Amino acid sequence: MKKSLSMLLAAVAIASSCSAANAEDAKEMARNAARFPVRAAAVGTGMVVGIPVAITRRSSNRAIEFTESFADKIGGKEHAPPMIFASILGMPFGLLVGAGEGVFMGGKNAINGSAAEHPFTLSTFSLDEELE
């Protein structure tokens, strides 16, 4: 049963890959081939620079959100004592969640930002105002 299913899936994959490809004109193909090294460099640079930037931004935002949320549960974020006690748990949780989100968002921004017409932009390095 497993062998026949895997053979069927392999046949479907081969059939779909053998379909006719849409041919672009030669000028557009040459332009894309020339842009590939630049875009690859933009993705690499965006990952090296953008991921730490996104981790820092997301961690700080999440630490503030968690601290305020925890402070609201024990007395309100308007007062100093609840904020101090809430920061004991809010900071580590915010750093942990923000680091995970930052790795994901930094990689996503590096890949999506370099696919545009201008590959080295602020969004490639997670420096844009709008960081999801």
Side-chain angles (χ1 to χ4, degrees):
M1 178 72 180
K2 290 182 182 179
K3 192 173 189 178
S4 62
L5 180 62
S6 63
M7 292 294 286
L8 178 66
L9 291 175
V12 169
I14 291 171
S16 66
S17 66
C18 293
S19 63
N22 294 337
E24 298 177 350
D25 58 339
K27 188 176 182 181
E28 186 68 26
M29 285 176 46
R31 184 178 301 137
N32 286 336
R35 287 182 188 166
F36 178 75
V38 175
R39 288 185 180 171
V43 169
T45 308
M47 294 255 185
V48 169
V49 174
I51 289 177
V53 169
I55 287 173
T56 304
R57 290 180 69 178
R58 297 304 295 176
S59 293
S60 66
N61 290 344
R62 289 299 184 189
I64 292 168
E65 289 174 14
F66 277 116
T67 301
E68 289 177 351
S69 173
F70 292 156
D72 280 340
K73 293 178 183 175
I74 60 171
K77 62 183 175 186
E78 300 85 23
H79 307 291
M83 286 294 284
I84 292 170
F85 288 118
S87 68
I88 294 170
L89 289 177
M91 295 294 282
F93 282 127
L95 292 175
L96 183 66
V97 172
E101 289 179 351
V103 169
F104 175 75
M105 295 303 295
K108 179 182 167 192
N109 291 337
I111 292 170
N112 289 344
S114 63
E117 187 67 30
H118 305 286
F120 291 97
T121 60
L122 291 177
S123 63
T124 304
F125 301 114
S126 301
L127 293 171
D128 198 14
E129 293 289 326
E130 295 293 322
L131 182 65
E132 298 176 14

